[in-house]
Amino acid sequence: MRRWRTLLATFAALVTALAVPGAAQADTSVVGGTRATQGEFPFMVRLSMGCGGALYSPNLVLTAAHCVGATGTNTSITATLGVVDLNSTSKITRKSNYVYRAPGYNGNGKDWALIRLASPATGLATLPTASTTAYDTGTFTIAGWGAASEGGSQQRYLLKATVPFVSDTTCNSASMYNGEIIASNEICAGYAAGGTDTCQGDSGGPMFRRDAANAWVQVGIVSWGDGCARPNKPGVYTQVSYFSSAIATAASSLGG
Ligand code: ARG
């Protein structure tokens, strides 16, 4: 069931990736969000297969495993960086040259991957990953160019929202995901009432918050959910703290 949803979501993201944003959704996306301002989240990346990502280092983008294919040479992905408006003439674009997908990824958990850019994107702030569980609680920021409503079109302008942490126990309760959450490596966020969430096309993008020094730190990767913004169906995110040392090891092996 989980795997089916993720695959369906990926398909939906692919077929809608190039859609022109709907006029009726000008100011809401990420479902229940508002427009991010230029430069507010300089690490946000849009990927050509219809996913999001975060700039991990000048030449590496952290995204979701379900957004990419198997580990190996891959020159088919275009990353767009440095803009909130995907049609902006000042956008930075980079081709991929390699994909590293989480070892053992099979559609259930371990939903992370690194994409190496053919040349570094300099001058943009990167987003550090949380290396402990210290920040795996509180209020999180989500952002992306994905659908503004369940089944809706992809967005031209980056949208953002905030969502509260939902504990694994609550997220796995009968009224929510009834045991489907992998507590060790997934983290849930959203309102019980619904209304605010990531959605198709936001996958791979970061969920983040401020650390003790008031700097942004990445705590999640958009992974899956039952629909978007439905009551009692929080968004489910890869728990970055659990994978941060594996991500760092992979990053150094990729030269980034
Ligand atoms: N898997 C989706 C994608 O490919 C993201 C789904 C997030 N869903 C949610 N309700 N938070 O874009």
Side-chain angles (χ1 to χ4, degrees), residues 133-142 162-172 176 181 183 186-192 196 207-209 219-220 234-239 241:
T133 57
Y135 300 115
D136 293 353
T137 187
T139 300
F140 305 127
T141 298
I142 50 177
T162 57
V163 280
F165 168 73
V166 175
S167 74
D168 290 326
T169 302
T170 300
C171 205
N172 259 333
M176 291 192 176
I181 306 302
E186 292 180 321
I187 180 171
C188 299
Y191 295 96
T196 306
M207 178 170 78
F208 46 98
R209 55 160 285 172
V219 300
V236 186
Y237 299 80
T238 307
Q239 192 165 347
S241 61

Side-chain angles (χ1 to χ4, degrees), residues 48-169:
S48 54
M49 81 293 277
C51 279
L55 196 63
Y56 180 86
S57 72
N59 67 338
L60 293 176
V61 176
L62 181 60
T63 188
H66 81 262
C67 288
V68 301
T71 295
T73 298
N74 186 321
T75 58
S76 72
I77 302 166
T78 301
T80 301
L81 308 96
V83 288
V84 293
D85 175 5
L86 295 177
N87 292 355
S88 168
T89 53
S90 51
K91 69 187 178 187
I92 298 167
T93 59
R94 290 288 185 274
K95 284 291 196 183
S96 62
N97 67 10
Y98 197 86
V99 159
Y100 181 96
R101 192 173 62 180
Y105 173 71
N106 65 1
N108 216 11
K110 301 176 185 163
D111 197 6
W112 66 272
L114 287 167
I115 295 171
R116 189 172 64 197
L117 306 176
S119 65
T122 53
L124 293 171
T126 56
L127 181 60
T129 53
S131 57
T132 73
T133 57
Y135 300 115
D136 293 353
T137 187
T139 300
F140 305 127
T141 298
I142 50 177
W145 290 269
S149 58
E150 196 175 319
S153 60
Q154 300 293 293
Q155 300 295 301
R156 170 176 171 176
Y157 297 98
L158 179 65
L159 292 138
K160 62 169 180 176
T162 57
V163 280
F165 168 73
V166 175
S167 74
D168 290 326
T169 302

Side-chain angles (χ1 to χ4, degrees), residues 168-249:
D168 290 326
T169 302
T170 300
C171 205
N172 259 333
S173 65
S175 63
M176 291 192 176
Y177 288 110
N178 198 25
E180 283 189 277
I181 306 302
I182 305 169
S184 64
N185 75 72
E186 292 180 321
I187 180 171
C188 299
Y191 295 96
T196 306
D197 197 5
T198 46
C199 198
Q200 272 58 46
D202 292 322
S203 272
M207 178 170 78
F208 46 98
R209 55 160 285 172
R210 297 285 189 180
D211 70 9
N214 207 37
W216 293 120
V217 61
Q218 184 170 0
V219 300
I221 299 169
V222 180
S223 182
W224 63 279
D226 188 352
C228 303
R230 297 184 186 179
N232 290 309
K233 300 295 176 187
V236 186
Y237 299 80
T238 307
Q239 192 165 347
V240 166
S241 61
Y242 184 82
F243 296 108
S244 91
S245 59
I247 293 167
T249 302

